[in-house]
Amino acid sequence: MALGDKIFGELAEKKEWNALQKRAKALPADFYKTYKAIQKYLFNMGLSDWRIFYEILDLLELASLDGQTVKEVIGTDVAAFADNFIDDKKQDWHEKYRHELNQYFNQNQR
């Protein structure tokens, strides 16, 4: 990867992150505080793909538009709610790699 591509890629990613955070700030105050708390928790847990926040933000935006409360959406265990997002992603990757491994093995065994 050329240096220019890397720099422009990082700038585009930063712009995408800032746009996501701007959307979050438009949430009602209680939803925004919850979003930020989940964000902090997931980063402290070692989250490496910040794009998961799109899913969380979409859910919170829809819930607020539907007139739901944060507690109705997330429940009483916010950490468990956040962990479910990580677990779902881990499971997706786990299945993807299992499938790729089996496919590779089946193609190379003749």
Side-chain angles (χ1 to χ4, degrees), residues 2-75:
L3 180 61
D5 292 340
K6 183 174 175 143
I7 291 171
F8 288 118
E10 289 174 3
L11 289 174
E13 191 170 298
K14 184 174 183 174
K15 187 176 181 180
E16 185 180 354
W17 170 257
N18 288 337
L20 182 68
Q21 298 316 300
K22 186 176 180 179
R23 273 181 58 197
K25 287 179 184 176
L27 288 169
D30 53 341
F31 281 84
Y32 180 68
K33 287 178 186 176
T34 302
Y35 171 82
K36 293 303 285 183
I38 291 170
Q39 190 178 68
K40 182 178 179 180
Y41 173 78
L42 290 176
F43 280 137
N44 285 335
M45 295 301 291
L47 179 71
S48 60
D49 185 5
W50 58 267
R51 287 174 179 83
I52 194 170
F53 295 115
Y54 279 109
E55 294 175 45
I56 296 169
L57 185 56
D58 288 344
L59 178 67
L60 294 176
E61 285 174 333
L62 289 173
S64 71
L65 288 174
D66 286 344
Q68 294 179 303
T69 65
V70 173
K71 194 172 185 179
E72 288 174 322
V73 178
I74 296 190

Side-chain angles (χ1 to χ4, degrees), residues 77-96:
D77 191 344
V78 181
F81 173 84
D83 288 340
N84 283 332
F85 276 93
I86 294 174
D87 292 343
D88 287 346
K89 292 298 173 197
K90 284 181 184 175
Q91 187 64 28
D92 290 347
W93 282 102
H94 180 79
E95 289 302 317
K96 177 185 176 201

